[in-house]
């Protein structure tokens, strides 16, 4: 067969990702004149109204703030969240951690567009998303809500969501900053040195603000180095505004997200949400009378607020089209994400995909298999009008299959007998909103009765004991036992994984997740997800996990970087995922130059050497040789997803800037590029990097 001309694919196509983002497209100097004119005509009462929410409760899912009809100033109408519109019913997409596992920025842009459209259809104009707090430890209660343990990967997914969503509404990447623990989030202080702050916990927020011009940022409940985020001038003014040039507004997290009047406004907070508890007329007037707070400071906040309202042209009545909510295109998109997010972790003797010509009888076991399991029921919850469960998806994928469903984690004699007779046993195991999720104390009281959100941080990463016992018992009864896991983060599988032949991580896969599970198990879809979080062999291989202390020092290393430092293998490494086909990488080339003068272009060929179509995610890591300071062993600095027919070859093109190699020099408070040798590693997981080259950058 003549070699077709090789296609070159950009690992990250910036123009495509940011197209239609109103914060970029609508920016113009006339806007500032309009804002000044309006600001100068506002009364103090109208200014007070701009810097606080309307009331504690949402109205049909919308949280209002500001607005002055007589001046043509629209109100903000803020709606959660990272998994879809939390207003009425909406398309329940797979959770962000599942989308992180797609490593597909173009897809995440489309998810951002769809969620933005549905928020708008519900009357909202600000989506309180994306959540981009780094997964420092997989036990974090809200792990499912974020994308990754790695700052580069997080940044790429975040800017894709933001620029997609900002085609339609404002966004609010959250929670700024270092909100990586749940139970103690209202009081705890995350303590970091400057290198860890700038190199690990901020890069993805910086990209969201600088590259995608996020309209707002939500400040976090917790403290950073002892100061509450909502009144932290280092974070909200120096870093966010002076260093990064952020022109959007900062709204607090809800209720305990604001802790004062003058310190908050002087520190850089703009809006107290969901209502003016601290920012009441009385308190604001008193703070001004005492001289703690000036009208100029209030004007600076109001200026940022109304500038975003007119930048996004919220004053132009746009017809709201409710037909987009849960429309066929969005349901299909949810299915596409589910298909691309699931990670095949184990496939002994190619037991998968199941061949219905050979496999005639299967058992599906475990209560989760036929349960709606969309994820946590805190602020990121989405009410879906329909959900396809794993069992329904398996039946749909193999309509002629003899399927026996055992809806329990305990096996009675009848079940034991049945399982011993089947060709394949599929156990659906994992977590629900009861074991992990946002920890809201008020809902905590309700949780005892109403079975609402419990959530909170997970002290352990293993499955509940009854599920582990079930898996071991089933694998004793049936030689071909496959486990499908549902959950929002890493799970420790060491106790039972050697007893099973197949393992698929499905995450909280959204309303169409069951369909994707069935299609992957029976081979109609080739799995292509990669882990956005390291799955460790045991807890002791991770950072210390203290979920009660109110003072925690955050280290420079966590996740795969910590495992690399300790030379400790993961059970399944960051970036890992199997396919039903095989790929080969080759022809690594580094070229100087590109769009910017200090740019490097890294090219690599990816070939599908198997017998069926598949997608591969190629990752680029940078290593530092003879650095004068401590560096991570290697850091992800690029990834690209490519779809290849059997036999097809494509060239992936990565762009690197000098800034990708710099470290944060604490003494000078600036980024520094060392004149050393750098290693470039290319491969298909943080632990499988077959291609390497070195470069020197002046
Ligand atoms: C919650 C969450 C935040 C959410 C907000 C509104 O406490 O921390 O992510 O957007 O309140 O529901």
């Amino acid at each position: 067969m003549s070699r077709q001309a090789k296609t070159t694919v950009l690992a990250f196509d910036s123009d495509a990702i940011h197209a239609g983002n109103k914060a970029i497209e609508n920016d113009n100097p006339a806007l500032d004149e309009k804002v000044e004119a309006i600001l100068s005509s506002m009364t103090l009462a109208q200014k007070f109204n701009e810097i606080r929410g309307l009331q504690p409760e949402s109205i049909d899912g919308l949280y209002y703030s500001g607005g002055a009809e007589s001046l043509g100033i629209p109100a903000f109408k803020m709606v959660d969240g990272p998994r879809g519109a939390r207003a009425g019913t909406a398309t329940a997409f797979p959770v962000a951690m599942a989308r992180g596992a797609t490593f597909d920025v173009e897809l995440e842009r489309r998810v951002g567009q769809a969620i933005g459209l549905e928020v708008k259809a519900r009357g909202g104009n600000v989506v309180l998303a994306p959540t981009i707090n780094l997964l420092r430890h997989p036990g974090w209660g809200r792990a499912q809500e974020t994308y990754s343990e790695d700052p580069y990967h997080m940044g790429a997914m975040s800017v894709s969501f933001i620029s997609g969503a900002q085609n339609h509404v404002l966004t609010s990447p959250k929670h700024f900053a270092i909100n990586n623990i749940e139970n103690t989030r209202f009081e705890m202080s995350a303590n970091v040195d400057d290198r860890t702050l700038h190199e690990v916990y901020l890069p993805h927020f910086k990209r969201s603000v600088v590259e995608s011009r996020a309209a707002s940022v939500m400040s976090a409940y917790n403290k950073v180095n002892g100061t509450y985020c909502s009144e932290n001038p280092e974070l909200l003014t120096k870093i966010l505004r002076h260093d990064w040039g952020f022109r959007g507004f900062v709204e607090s997290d809800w209720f305990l997200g604001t802790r004062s009047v003058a310190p908050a406004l002087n520190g850089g907070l703009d809006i107290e949400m969901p209502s003016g508890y601290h920012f009441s007329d009385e308190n604001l007037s008193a703070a001004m009378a005492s001289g703690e707070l000036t009208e100029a400071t209030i004007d600076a906040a109001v200026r940022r607020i109304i500038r975003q309202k007119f930048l996004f042209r919220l004053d132009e009545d746009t017809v709201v089209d409710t037909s987009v909510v849960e429309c066929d295109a969005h349901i299909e998109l949810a299915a596409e994400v589910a298909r691309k997010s699931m990670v095949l972790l184990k496939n002994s003797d190619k037991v998968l995909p199941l061949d219905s010509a050979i496999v005639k009888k299967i058992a599906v076991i475990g209560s989760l298999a036929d349960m709606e399991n969309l994820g946590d029921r805190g602020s990121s919850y989405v009410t879906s009008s329909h959900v396809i469960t794993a069992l329904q998806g398996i039946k749909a994928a193999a309509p002629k299959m003899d399927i026996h469903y055992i809806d329990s984690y305990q096996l009675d004699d009848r079940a034991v007998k049945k399982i011993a007779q089947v060709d394949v046993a599929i156990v659906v195991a994992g977590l629900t909103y009861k074991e992990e999720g946002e920890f809201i104390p008020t809902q905590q009281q309700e949780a005892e009765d109403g079975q609402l959100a419990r959530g909170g941080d997970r002290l352990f990463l293993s499955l509940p004991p009854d599920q582990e016992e079930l898996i071991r018992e089933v694998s004793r009864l049936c030689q071909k036992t496959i486990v499908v896991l549902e959950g929002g983060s890493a799970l420790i599988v060491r106790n039972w994984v050697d007893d099973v032949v197949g393992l698929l991580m499905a995450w909280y896969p959204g309303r169409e997740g069951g369909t994707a599970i069935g299609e992957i198990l029976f081979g109609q879809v080739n799995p292509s997800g990669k882990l956005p979080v390291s799955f460790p062999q045991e807890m002791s291989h991770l950072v210390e996990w203290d979920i009660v202390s109110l003072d925690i020092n955050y280290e420079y290393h966590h996740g795969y970087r910590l495992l690399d430092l300790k030379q400790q293998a993961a059970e399944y490494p960051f970036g890992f995922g199997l396919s039903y086909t095989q790929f080969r990488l080759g022809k690594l080339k580094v070229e100087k130059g590109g769009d910017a003068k200090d740019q490097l272009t890294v090219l690599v060929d990816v070939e599908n050497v198997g017998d069926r179509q598949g997608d591969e995610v190629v990752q680029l890591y940078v290593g530092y040789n003879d650095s004068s300071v401590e560096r991570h062993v290697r850091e992800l600095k690029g990834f690209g997803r490519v779809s290849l027919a059997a036999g097809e070859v494509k060239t992936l093109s990565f762009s690197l800037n000098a800034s990708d190699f710099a470290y944060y020099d604490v003494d000078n408070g600036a980024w520094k590029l060392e004149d050393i040798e750098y290693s470039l590693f290319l491969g298909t997981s943080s632990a499988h990097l077959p291609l390497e080259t070195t470069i020197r950058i002046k």
Side-chain angles (χ1 to χ4, degrees), residues 309-322:
K309 292 182 176 182
F310 292 108
L311 175 62
F312 281 81
R313 298 184 182 148
L314 300 187
D315 53 324
E316 293 166 9
D317 265 344
T318 42
V319 175
V320 164
D321 170 13
T322 54

Side-chain angles (χ1 to χ4, degrees), residues 334-506:
E336 181 184 355
V337 175
R339 292 178 182 122
K340 291 180 172 179
S341 64
M342 294 183 187
V343 186
L344 183 60
L345 294 173
K346 183 172 184 180
N347 188 15
S348 302
D349 310 325
K350 295 192 188 303
V351 65
L352 289 170
L354 300 176
D355 178 351
S356 35
I358 303 167
V359 175
K360 296 300 179 191
K361 284 195 288 188
I362 66 173
V364 177
I365 307 148
S367 311
L368 268 187
D370 206 25
M371 187 197 287
E372 171 178 323
N373 194 19
L374 296 174
D376 111 41
R377 299 199 177 170
S379 63
S380 64
Y381 186 61
V382 173
T383 305
S384 182
S385 57
H386 186 63
V387 177
I388 309 265
T389 65
L391 179 66
Q392 290 162 347
I394 290 167
K395 286 178 174 174
K400 297 193 178 63
M401 183 67 65
D402 173 0
I403 297 173
H404 185 78
Y405 176 44
I406 298 162
D407 175 12
S408 164
Y409 292 133
Q410 276 74 36
L411 302 178
D412 60 21
D413 294 347
R414 187 167 162 274
V416 166
K417 200 154 158 287
K418 192 71 193 170
I419 295 169
Q421 293 166 352
V422 298
D423 303 321
V424 170
I426 299 169
V427 180
V428 181
L431 309 179
T432 69
Y433 68 94
K434 293 174 187 166
E435 288 85 34
E436 59 178 346
E438 185 172 355
F439 181 73
I440 302 176
T442 49
Q443 289 202 7
Q444 176 66 10
Q445 279 97 42
E446 290 158 26
E448 309 321 325
D449 323 318
Q451 285 301 299
L452 279 173
R454 282 177 59 81
D457 299 309
R458 278 189 295 153
L459 251 185
F460 306 103
L461 299 184
S462 42
L463 287 173
D466 60 342
Q467 295 187 31
E468 290 200 325
E469 189 38 47
L470 170 73
I471 292 167
R472 281 196 288 266
E473 193 176 352
V474 172
S475 60
R476 280 194 292 273
L477 293 163
C478 176
Q479 270 54 54
K480 289 191 176 180
T481 295
I482 292 158
V483 174
V484 176
L485 288 176
E486 295 182 354
S489 180
L491 288 158
I492 289 179
V493 302
R494 185 86 311 271
N495 290 349
W496 48 267
V497 72
D498 296 339
D499 305 333
V500 305
V501 292
L503 179 58
L504 179 71
M505 183 66 194

Side-chain angles (χ1 to χ4, degrees), residues 12 151-153 199 203 206-207 211 556 561 596 598-602 620-624 631-632 634-639 654-664 671-674 676 678-680 695 697:
F12 187 85
Y152 175 85
H153 174 246
E199 290 184 32
K206 182 175 180 180
R207 277 192 76 179
E211 204 174 311
Y556 185 55
R561 299 168 178 203
D598 67 349
Q599 203 162 44
L600 279 177
T601 300
V602 180
L620 186 158
Y621 295 80
V622 170
Y624 308 91
R631 308 293 286 254
H632 294 118
R634 63 178 70 86
E635 297 171 342
L636 182 73
K637 294 293 182 185
F639 64 84
F654 298 85
S655 290
L656 288 175
N657 300 310
S659 57
D660 288 315
F661 299 88
Y663 74 90
Y664 189 78
W671 291 88
K672 185 168 183 182
L673 181 64
E674 286 185 288
I676 57 171
Y678 298 89
S679 293
L680 302 181
I695 55 168
I697 300 181

